[in-house]
Amino acid sequence: MLSQLLRSEWMKIKRKGLWFLTVLGPLGVVGLTMVNYGVRKDYLLSLSDDDWAIYLDNILSLTPLALVLGIVILTSMMASIENQTNAWKQWLALPVSRSSVYLSKYVIATTLLFVSSIILGIGTTLYGLTLGLGDDIPWLRIMQVSFYPWLASQALIAFHLWVAVANNNQGITVSIGVVGVILTFMAFFLPDWFLWKWPTLANDWNNPFINIVLGISAGLLLFIAGMWHFCRKDVS
Amino acid sequence: MSIIVQTEQLTKTFQKQQAVDHVDMVIREGEIYGFLGPNGAGKTTTIRMLLGLMKPTSGTVRIFGKELQKHKLDILRQVGSLVENPSYYPHLTAYENLNVVREIVGVPHKRISEVLETVRLTEAAHRKVKGFSLGMKQRLGIAAALLHQPKLLVLDEPTNGLDPSGIIEIRELIKSLPQQYGMTVLISSHLLSEIDQIATAVGVVSRGKLIYQDQMSNLRKLARSTIRIQCSEPGKAVAALKQLELAAAHEQEQLILENCSNRSVADAVSLLVHQGHDIYRVEENKQSLEQIFLSMTDGVSL
């Protein structure tokens, strides 16, 4: 059932620009870092002996913003594909369980963002190499910078999917998303329990793993809550 | 004939307003069941409950003899539906739209071409649905509903917004389904003429209540015929017709005979002429289905 649903969902997102956004996000992060290094490379290289560390910190400062923005836009666009002509009523009158439908939407959103993370990892490595940051490439740290924010964002994906699917008016969804992006921008000042802080991997214990555990466990709870709501909702 | 759809005391309440009020609907195999009622009478809400899109406040829905709440997926595998305005993905082509549904209902690719042919959309198969006319979108919706050859087809106002030729086309298509594929069809409409031409059974809903349900032929029998005879001295004529044991009434210089056969009319006219009455006019007045419905729905027009 889920595999059939996923095949259908992949077909539905055709020509809607979701793949374009998936690629644009990580390229945007690497592109902005290029601008940063293009303008003040000497200064940035003078900050520390470990040039890779400074470079990856720069990448990591931009990733959460791109990721949160990506989550908002992707989930909202996925819901709008159904909302546009109220296709929910056709889709949910097919022999499919609502929980599988909800799960398939989540899988699509998180897979697209995973692909973004892969592209980010590749882009980060390639540009890092062209900058000549040293031969000792910190592969593990690159992987962490590329994929940890995605893992820590599972709660946000679940939250925004719920909001997008529950509201026919995507204006509400995007407004909440914009507030979220601003909150992520100010993450440094936010308490550790705040959802929007988790993709930055920052916390009082200086242990990014905590954000991942929080992101995945809260993500699971929010996913179950959203699915519970979706399964009981009357389709108008 | 076995019962395909049966609701018992089906009720849906929205914030204290009863949209559907204790409806007992019965649809038998092979019927085209016309679900008729004014806008806002509760047709769409009932249909949504039949498809599991809305949960009833109380009452039950049984389809193919199984309870919908407990066997929803099993039942929906054999149900095709088009609810209100057609739903489609405008950025996809007609073929792609059907392919999205095909994956779920698990039928071979060739079914897509077949249903496109059935609704005459083969030529537009690879065009984006965004540019389709309303009639084409409606036909695409029907194609999607037919894709898995369902036993029960539920069509909610399928001719809404179509031009006359589109209406005729869809009507002919729906009429052919029970014979060709053994389908049972539930079709809702607020247009009496529509249901009159297509349905074999009818359910009339008004203000959430199912106020009439029977075979269409029985409903037509309700349409009473009256003969009005305009003649000189209708008062005397009424007395004269008592010889024929015909119950005649006298109203505004006219004689009124109800439900009489051709023979009785001929006898009455012949008798009056023999007795020297001048006959000016003999007219038949049939109460239209429209009038019957108006009286059923307390004047809310259909």
Side-chain angles (χ1 to χ4, degrees):
Chain A
M1 171 68 75
L2 187 62
S3 62
Q4 292 161 297
L5 269 167
L6 285 173
R7 278 201 294 275
S8 287
E9 292 293 338
W10 287 122
M11 283 190 244
K12 280 191 214 169
I13 64 166
K14 232 170 124 176
R15 296 190 205 107
K16 288 301 275 186
L18 272 80
W19 280 111
F20 174 70
L21 282 172
T22 302
V23 176
L24 185 70
L27 292 188
V29 169
V30 177
L32 282 172
T33 311
M34 280 178 172
V35 173
N36 195 7
Y37 273 79
V39 172
R40 46 178 196 157
K41 182 179 176 185
D42 293 340
Y43 164 73
L44 289 166
L45 292 183
S46 70
L47 287 177
S48 155
D49 287 343
D50 190 349
D51 292 335
W52 272 105
I54 296 292
Y55 169 68
L56 292 176
D57 281 351
N58 268 295
I59 294 275
L60 188 58
S61 68
L62 295 169
T63 306
L65 290 170
L67 199 55
V68 173
L69 201 58
I71 291 169
V72 173
I73 299 173
L74 287 181
T75 50
S76 162
M77 283 176 81
M78 282 169 57
S80 75
I81 290 175
E82 307 291 348
N83 287 337
Q84 213 172 354
T85 64
N86 194 11
W88 289 118
K89 64 182 160 53
Q90 187 196 318
W91 200 234
L92 298 177
L94 290 172
V96 284
S97 72
R98 290 201 190 186
S99 48
S100 308
V101 170
Y102 195 76
L103 179 61
S104 69
K105 298 272 179 205
Y106 183 87
V107 171
I108 299 284
T110 200
T111 306
L112 287 172
L113 291 160
F114 179 67
V115 172
S116 290
S117 302
I118 295 173
I119 297 170
L120 179 67
I122 296 169
T124 302
T125 312
L126 289 178
Y127 184 57
L129 289 172
T130 62
L131 279 174
L133 301 174
D135 296 335
D136 196 10
I137 302 166
W139 291 111
L140 184 68
R141 181 72 184 143
I142 291 175
M143 296 287 272
Q144 287 175 347
V145 167
S146 304
F147 295 103
Y148 276 15
W150 170 71
L151 286 169
S153 297
Q154 297 305 311
L156 277 175
I157 300 175
F159 173 75
H160 274 289
L161 182 66
W162 185 4
V163 172
V165 165
N167 288 295
N168 285 348
N169 180 358
Q170 292 306 302
I172 298 169
T173 314
V174 173
S175 304
I176 294 173
V178 169
V179 173
V181 173
I182 295 168
L183 289 173
T184 311
F185 198 69
M186 308 189 307
F188 183 74
F189 305 103
L190 297 175
D192 283 346
W193 54 263
F194 218 72
L195 245 67
W196 282 268
K197 188 177 184 176
W198 299 346
T200 65
L201 306 182
N203 58 46
D204 284 348
W205 298 275
N206 224 356
N207 181 359
F209 208 68
I210 293 173
N211 293 28
I212 293 174
V213 173
L214 281 171
I216 292 175
S217 33
L220 191 65
L221 290 177
L222 283 166
F223 174 80
I224 291 170
M227 187 165 79
W228 186 85
H229 179 229
F230 182 70
C231 289
R232 271 149 194 79
K233 199 178 146 195
D234 275 348
V235 182
S236 57
Chain B
M1 274 192 296
S2 61
I3 291 174
I4 299 290
V5 178
Q6 182 164 30
T7 71
E8 276 165 24
Q9 299 290 296
L10 190 65
T11 302
K12 180 75 183 178
T13 311
F14 295 117
Q15 289 148 2
K16 291 185 184 169
Q17 190 209 338
Q18 288 213 319
V20 176
D21 190 358
H22 298 89
V23 165
D24 292 324
M25 177 194 258
V26 178
I27 304 177
R28 292 183 173 78
E29 196 176 358
E31 277 181 348
I32 297 180
Y33 184 97
F35 196 33
L36 184 63
N39 290 325
K43 300 187 296 290
T44 299
T45 306
T46 306
I47 285 178
R48 291 206 162 138
M49 287 191 281
L50 294 183
L51 294 170
L53 293 172
M54 279 184 177
K55 286 207 168 63
T57 308
S58 64
T60 54
V61 175
R62 294 179 75 82
I63 299 182
F64 310 124
K66 293 178 192 161
E67 205 172 310
L68 181 68
Q69 292 278 56
K70 290 180 188 152
H71 305 273
K72 193 170 142 193
L73 296 190
D74 270 354
I75 291 170
L76 290 179
R77 261 180 214 113
Q78 304 179 67
V79 178
S81 64
L82 172 66
V83 183
E84 255 184 338
N85 319 311
S87 293
Y88 50 89
Y89 303 107
H91 58 290
L92 301 180
T93 66
Y95 190 94
E96 288 166 341
N97 263 280
L98 294 176
N99 203 17
V100 163
V101 178
R102 189 201 62 82
E103 280 289 351
I104 303 300
V105 295
V107 293
H109 280 279
K110 72 173 178 37
R111 274 298 294 158
I112 297 181
S113 318
E114 285 171 16
V115 290
L116 281 171
E117 184 66 42
T118 310
V119 299
R120 297 200 310 99
L121 278 178
T122 307
E123 279 175 26
H126 298 289
R127 271 169 45 199
K128 281 189 201 164
V129 177
K130 203 175 350 188
F132 277 21
S133 69
L134 182 61
M136 290 165 84
K137 286 171 185 164
Q138 202 74 281
R139 294 201 319 255
L140 180 67
I142 295 181
L146 293 174
L147 203 58
H148 55 300
Q149 293 171 305
K151 281 189 188 165
L152 172 66
L153 188 63
V154 179
L155 303 171
D156 187 14
E157 307 257 2
T159 54
N160 233 1
L162 297 188
D163 55 25
S165 68
I167 292 178
I168 294 170
E169 211 172 285
I170 299 248
R171 186 192 301 145
E172 293 310 313
L173 173 66
I174 295 169
K175 269 181 169 176
S176 69
L177 294 173
Q179 296 122 27
Q180 273 190 22
Y181 306 105
M183 283 180 197
T184 303
V185 182
L186 164 61
I187 176 170
S188 82
S189 177
H190 62 280
L191 296 171
L192 167 64
S193 57
E194 197 56 50
I195 296 299
D196 188 22
Q197 291 180 66
I198 205 169
T200 56
V202 64
V204 181
V205 64
S206 176
R207 296 192 181 107
K209 286 191 164 70
L210 190 67
I211 52 172
Y212 182 84
Q213 180 171 244
D214 205 341
Q215 295 302 302
M216 197 68 205
S217 52
N218 291 342
L219 177 73
R220 290 199 188 98
K221 282 182 199 157
L222 289 179
R224 282 179 304 146
S225 115
T226 317
I227 303 291
R228 289 173 174 265
I229 303 175
Q230 207 173 343
C231 59
S232 56
E233 299 180 273
K236 284 185 182 171
V238 171
L241 288 181
K242 282 190 179 148
Q243 295 174 24
L244 297 175
E245 293 183 353
L246 274 177
H250 169 202
E251 189 183 280
Q252 293 173 347
E253 303 302 305
Q254 284 184 331
L255 275 179
I256 297 169
L257 306 173
E258 286 198 350
N259 287 330
C260 20
S261 63
N262 288 346
R263 186 68 260 155
S264 312
V265 177
D267 291 345
V269 172
S270 158
L271 179 80
L272 294 176
V273 170
H274 275 293
Q275 295 197 348
H277 291 272
D278 292 331
I279 307 284
Y280 307 125
R281 193 163 293 180
V282 179
E283 289 172 325
E284 182 179 26
N285 255 347
K286 244 191 170 168
Q287 192 189 12
S288 66
L289 284 179
E290 193 84 38
Q291 286 163 317
I292 297 172
F293 280 114
L294 279 177
S295 59
M296 276 183 187
T297 58
D298 299 332
V300 181
S301 67
L302 291 158

